[in-house]
Amino acid sequence: MSSTPTTSTPTTSTPTASTPTTSAPTTSAPTASAPAVHLRGLRRVFGTRAVLDGIDLDIARGEFLALLGASGTGKTTLLRILGALDRADQGTVLVPPSRTVVFQEPRLIPSKRVLGNVTVGLPRGAATRETGRRALAEVGLADHADAWPGTLSGGEAQRAALARALVREPELLLLDEPFAALDALTRLRMQDLVGELCRKHRPAVLLVTHDVDEAIRLADRVAVLRDGVLVRDETVTVERPREAADPDFAALRRRLLADLGVHQDSAPRHSAARHSAPQHAASQHAN
Ligand SMILES: Nc1ncnc2c1ncn2[C@@H]1O[C@H](COP(=O)(O)OP(=O)(O)OP(=O)(O)O)[C@@H](O)[C@H]1O
Ligand SMILES: [Mg+2]
């Protein structure tokens, strides 16, 4: 978890290539103390629309950043660029070589057992199997190593995907709405699990979410993407354990919802559930 970030350029999908060939000002070579993620002037254009229009962002090693934004604002695009699944058109992108991604759906290989899914792509052998079993135990799936993915519940499958991401001990963990498809109770449990495992393994984390409460509960920092730029990038100072009843929690939630175009005073009064599942409010009002 200590290697130096390398540079992803608009011309390559391998972020281990090292020379920025962007039109952004040249970035000096990163040092061991540099942040895990360093973005300057990042642009991504689809057709005539600059979905990302000059993103400046650092994520420190071991830091957990939650990224909010209405649907279609470019959150996944940003995450995909960090994961070398898409390219930047302009700007400087420094990311560590070891990154893993968890998506909204688990994307397990149906023809491989759970343990095989977790260790897929790793060197074969007893040591890898043992590492895979430990990762499964961490997510509470020790008894499911030999199960087929098709027999898992949605929450179990997503935990298997999390184990697959963590077993590689990534320096950067990219989470794209990983709890969105889960029921409310499972989602809360998964949030706790991810928080616990990230504190233990200490990757830098980018969590893309629509759920404002989830962002506040989990993140060291929250950012909001709107119109191609980050309109907020704020350290979360709410004391842990973070409770929605805490006035600091509520105040930050109000600020974030306002950034998303949701104004609580004008929201329907019956929406007590909004506070436990605010992604619905955010997506209803901000999409
Ligand atoms: N490969 C592509 N070609 C053309 N347009 C694209 C491509 N990828 C994304 N877009 C467009 O870029 C915009 C941002 O997409 P993106 O998936 O990043 O949004 P998002 O913030 O993740 O949305 P959601 O919250 O709904 O997941 C959308 O308008 C989308 O249609
Ligand atoms: Mg998305």
Side-chain angles (χ1 to χ4, degrees):
M1 305 276 288
S2 61
S3 59
T4 306
T6 52
T7 302
S8 166
T9 78
T11 54
T12 176
S13 61
T14 28
T16 43
S18 60
T19 318
T21 57
T22 71
S23 55
T26 309
T27 305
S28 55
T31 65
S33 60
V37 172
H38 176 80
L39 304 179
R40 286 298 176 272
L42 171 62
R43 287 191 98 228
R44 182 70 173 112
V45 180
F46 295 121
T48 56
R49 179 181 166 211
V51 170
L52 304 175
D53 195 13
I55 301 286
D56 296 337
L57 178 73
D58 288 344
I59 307 177
R61 293 167 187 280
E63 186 175 37
F64 194 127
L65 176 84
L67 179 64
L68 294 157
S71 183
T73 46
K75 303 178 299 297
T76 294
T77 302
L78 177 59
L79 178 140
R80 285 171 53 82
I81 291 171
L82 295 187
L85 302 169
D86 192 10
R87 63 183 174 83
D89 289 311
Q90 212 176 75
T92 301
V93 180
L94 302 176
V95 287
S98 75
R99 293 145 299 164
T100 53
V101 189
V102 179
F103 296 98
Q104 185 171 336
E105 65 292 344
R107 301 190 181 189
L108 302 175
I109 303 165
S111 58
K112 282 186 184 290
R113 293 179 192 270
V114 170
L115 180 61
N117 266 281
V118 168
T119 58
V120 71
L122 297 177
R124 286 165 178 254
T128 293
R129 279 198 302 280
E130 183 49 37
T131 308
R133 285 185 188 280
R134 271 203 305 274
L136 281 170
E138 279 195 325
V139 299
L141 288 180
D143 296 341
H144 292 70
D146 297 324
W148 296 103
T151 67
L152 300 182
S153 71
E156 288 168 345
Q158 202 57 337
R159 279 187 276 150
L162 183 62
R164 181 184 55 196
L166 287 173
V167 80
R168 288 160 176 76
E169 291 281 341
E171 289 171 83
L172 176 60
L173 178 62
L174 300 165
L175 305 171
D176 194 354
E177 301 192 50
F179 318 120
L182 304 175
D183 66 86
L185 186 59
T186 308
R187 188 164 66 231
L188 288 173
R189 289 191 176 133
M190 277 293 286
Q191 288 171 1
D192 286 345
L193 179 64
V194 164
E196 185 187 312
L197 292 175
C198 287
R199 281 191 291 280
K200 179 173 171 196
H201 292 271
R202 302 296 294 163
V205 182
L206 175 71
L207 168 69
V208 166
T209 180
H210 284 274
D211 186 331
V212 172
D213 282 21
E214 176 176 297
I216 300 173
R217 285 184 70 205
L218 286 175
D220 301 313
R221 254 168 74 210
V222 284
V224 179
L225 183 60
R226 197 174 69 209
D227 298 331
V229 295
L230 295 178
V231 295
R232 182 177 298 279
D233 183 346
E234 177 172 338
T235 300
V236 181
T237 55
V238 183
E239 266 189 50
R240 294 183 190 271
R242 293 180 178 158
E243 306 290 349
D246 183 327
D248 291 339
F249 192 118
L252 178 55
R253 181 205 285 129
R254 263 196 306 280
R255 289 197 293 281
L256 293 169
L257 286 172
D259 288 340
L260 295 165
V262 183
H263 296 279
Q264 288 194 302
D265 293 344
S266 62
R269 294 224 64 82
H270 69 267
S271 57
R274 189 160 48 98
H275 288 180
S276 57
Q279 74 277 18
H280 297 135
S283 49
Q284 269 168 22
H285 293 255
N287 286 354

